[in-house]
Amino acid sequence: MPPRIDAESRRVSLDPRDPAFYGDPYAAYREISATTPTFFWEEYGFWCFCRHADVSTLLRDRRLGRQILHVASRESLGWPAPKEHLEPFEAIERYSLLELEPPEHTRLRGLVGGAFVSRQVERLAPRIEALVNALVDGFEAAGKAELISAFATPIPVAAIAELIGAPIEMAPRLLDWSHRMVAMYQFGVTREVEDSAASAAKEFGDSLRELISRRRRDPADDLISRLIEAETEGGRLTESELVSTLVLLLNAGHEATVHAIGNGLKALLEAKDARPVASPDEAMVEELLRFDSPLHLFTRYALQDVEVCGVPLRKGERIGLLLGAANRDPRVFPEPDRLDPRRLRNPHLAFGAGIHFCVGAPLARLEMGIAFDVLLRRLPKIRLTETPRYRDSFHFHGLETLRAAW
Ligand code: HEM
């Protein structure tokens, strides 16, 4: 179903679970952006913004926050009491970097940020390259593979586990916990999803506490040990903050990157059908991130009564920022629906902007560059064998399967 747009009231009805929409959200964005780039999305119940200029400004606007409970109580916002069965999940979220605002955010980001700067992350390149080559060794002789499960999924979890210092044997459990927890960010969460996320959060937290106590006794050259040092040195980090931070890094560190690799490969292979594609350089990685970003919607709360981009908001009201739409805004990206690695300017918002700008961007870029380069170099005849289908998940815009042969 195409979106139902009432241009006068700027209300739009669009089911995020409609396969036609999540299969190609750009068609709907084009239609909406042409008439109502700022609109009230009825199904979500909040105002959304599509223009690049607006999304970029609002991501940086300090009158908005990812969190509201640091400046208002649940009662004053008219929110119901927290759900008891979600307590283990909330306990992790409570201290997650992504859910905090200054000053807590500044302190925590300062503690983890250093581990993710390009200089540190580059050290992982040989390990990532070896892993990617080993994956190709595993399926090369078969002449075909389903690349989401055999290629895109194992790379980011191994890279982030290595950087943090979580044993690689934990990878299958990390994937399972993470899938169950991020399901909470989808549209239309059911009680079953909530129970599953709560038990995943509990198992994940318990397992990390065990790992932390092992590292306390026997420190290693990894992020967990460095954060434990910060915890003990003058109590700059509590154990709950430490656990939340590790969960966030492990979850954020792989979910989006799996889909960035999958969507990027799809775009590269579709372009390859039309003309030869050289080994992807840095500009191509940026263009792939713009062209088919894995994360499309982030929200912010108004921290005070405020007017943003012509929309009056009450304190506590939520808005939606459509990164996927902003990255196809023709005012900023000429011919936005064309994959063009030679764009002169590519200020895409796939990693966000402002204080919550993705801490893992250098790592994600490194993984994508190595994954595309090794795969296309080793399998020069690779081609798609079926039209890839997207998953029923609008926020985490990624593929169900990506089948290819060579
Ligand atoms: C291509 C893959 C990735 C994409 C598209 C992506 C995208 C984003 C975006 C859009 C945000 C900002 C959210 C907001 O403003 O509300 C963000 C934040 C974050 N990302 Fe990523 N991310 C990716 C990979 C990673 C990786 C590999 C890590 C590994 C550590 C990571 C860790 C984080 C963290 C910790 C935050 C929160 C930062 C803060 O609140 O200060 N991300 N990411």
Side-chain angles (χ1 to χ4, degrees):
M1 279 268 289
R4 265 194 301 111
I5 304 172
D6 179 347
E8 205 181 328
S9 66
R10 299 195 287 174
R11 293 180 86 88
V12 170
S13 170
L14 173 64
D15 177 2
R17 302 209 47 192
D18 178 354
F21 172 59
Y22 63 73
D24 178 13
Y26 306 108
Y29 295 154
R30 258 194 308 278
E31 207 181 325
I32 297 169
S33 296
T35 50
T36 46
T38 299
F39 66 96
F40 188 84
W41 192 333
E42 287 184 346
E43 281 73 3
Y44 279 105
F46 50 62
W47 284 92
C48 287
F49 299 81
C50 292
R51 276 199 206 101
H52 183 280
D54 292 349
V55 174
S56 174
T57 303
L58 294 173
L59 281 168
R60 296 166 219 264
D61 191 328
R62 301 294 298 278
R63 298 167 306 167
L64 305 171
R66 289 218 28 133
Q67 181 54 270
I68 176 76
L69 293 175
H70 60 307
V71 291
S73 65
R74 301 186 81 95
E75 297 73 42
S76 68
L77 295 165
W79 288 8
K83 295 177 181 171
E84 220 169 283
H85 63 276
L86 269 178
E87 170 49 27
F89 180 79
E90 304 286 356
I92 297 273
E93 291 277 288
R94 199 167 300 138
Y95 302 107
S96 152
L97 188 58
L98 193 50
E99 302 305 332
L100 293 175
E101 287 298 308
E104 280 77 17
H105 176 267
T106 321
R107 175 174 54 91
L108 271 183
R109 175 117 186 180
L111 287 172
V112 296
F116 288 91
V117 295
S118 305
R119 192 170 23 90
Q120 290 294 335
V121 163
E122 284 291 335
R123 291 167 42 187
L124 285 180
R127 308 286 276 266
I128 297 174
E129 202 166 331
L131 166 76
V132 172
N133 272 302
L135 292 171
V136 179
D137 289 344
F139 54 61
E140 185 176 14
K144 60 176 185 174
E146 195 290 283
L147 293 172
I148 298 299
S149 54
F151 190 70
T153 302
I155 300 170
V157 70
I160 192 68
E162 167 98 28
L163 198 150
I164 283 177
I168 190 64
E169 306 79 70
M170 262 177 106
R173 278 180 299 150
L174 291 176
L175 285 175
D176 175 53
W177 292 325
S178 167
H179 291 320
R180 285 158 58 197
M181 289 183 74
V182 300
M184 286 292 289
Y185 302 115
Q186 283 167 24
F187 183 77
V189 169
T190 59
R191 171 69 195 242
E192 206 183 340
V193 168
E194 289 179 346
D195 286 339
S196 166
S199 59
K202 165 130 188 25
E203 290 160 30
F204 204 163
D206 289 349
S207 181
L208 282 174
R209 285 197 162 80
E210 227 177 84
L211 184 58
I212 291 165
S213 74
R214 263 188 280 147
R215 284 290 189 285
R216 258 195 238 289
R217 289 192 302 270
D218 191 8
D221 179 19
D222 58 28
L223 185 63
I224 298 188
S225 306
R226 281 198 294 282
L227 290 176
I228 291 172
E229 245 170 65
E231 184 198 10
T232 40
E233 266 174 28
R236 282 190 293 154
L237 188 68
T238 66
E239 179 157 304
S240 297
E241 287 171 339
L242 177 52
V243 171
S244 290
T245 304
L246 292 173
V247 170
L248 171 69
L249 291 173
L250 288 161
N251 284 353
H254 84 265
E255 287 287 341
T257 319
V258 168
H259 298 306
I261 294 174
N263 296 359
L265 275 178
K266 167 181 177 284
L268 280 172
L269 296 183
E270 283 174 349
K272 190 170 178 280
D273 281 349
R275 66 194 131 78
V277 172
S279 181
D281 57 8
E282 282 174 17
M284 178 57 113
V285 169
E286 294 311 302
E287 176 64 350
L288 291 166
L289 281 160
R290 178 199 74 83
F291 183 73
D292 203 13
S293 311
L295 303 176
H296 279 216
L297 170 67
F298 281 94
T299 60
R300 291 291 187 269
Y301 290 102
L303 301 179
Q304 59 194 75
D305 290 347
V306 62
E307 184 171 313
V308 294
C309 304
V311 178
L313 301 173
R314 280 186 325 279
K315 181 174 176 177
E317 204 171 332
R318 218 147 66 112
I319 57 167
L321 307 176
L322 292 170
L323 308 188
N327 286 342
R328 297 275 189 123
D329 185 341
R331 296 168 200 87
V332 177
F333 306 104
E335 290 192 76
D337 301 323
R338 195 163 71 85
L339 183 72
D340 177 6
R342 274 173 289 281
R343 283 185 187 281
L344 291 176
R345 272 186 76 241
N346 196 348
H348 68 75
L349 296 170
F351 290 121
I355 63 166
H356 291 287
F357 179 83
C358 179
V359 98
L363 177 60
R365 288 174 164 134
L366 181 73
E367 290 175 44
M368 290 172 74
I370 295 175
F372 300 148
D373 178 56
V374 170
L375 194 77
L376 293 184
R377 229 172 353 91
R378 292 206 38 196
L379 307 174
K381 297 209 175 92
I382 189 167
R383 62 181 195 289
L384 293 174
T385 51
E386 68 175 26
T387 309
R389 255 182 314 110
Y390 286 90
R391 303 149 71 226
D392 174 6
S393 156
F394 159 57
H395 293 79
F396 283 94
H397 176 67
L399 297 168
E400 194 98 63
T401 53
L402 183 67
R403 294 186 204 285
W406 42 88

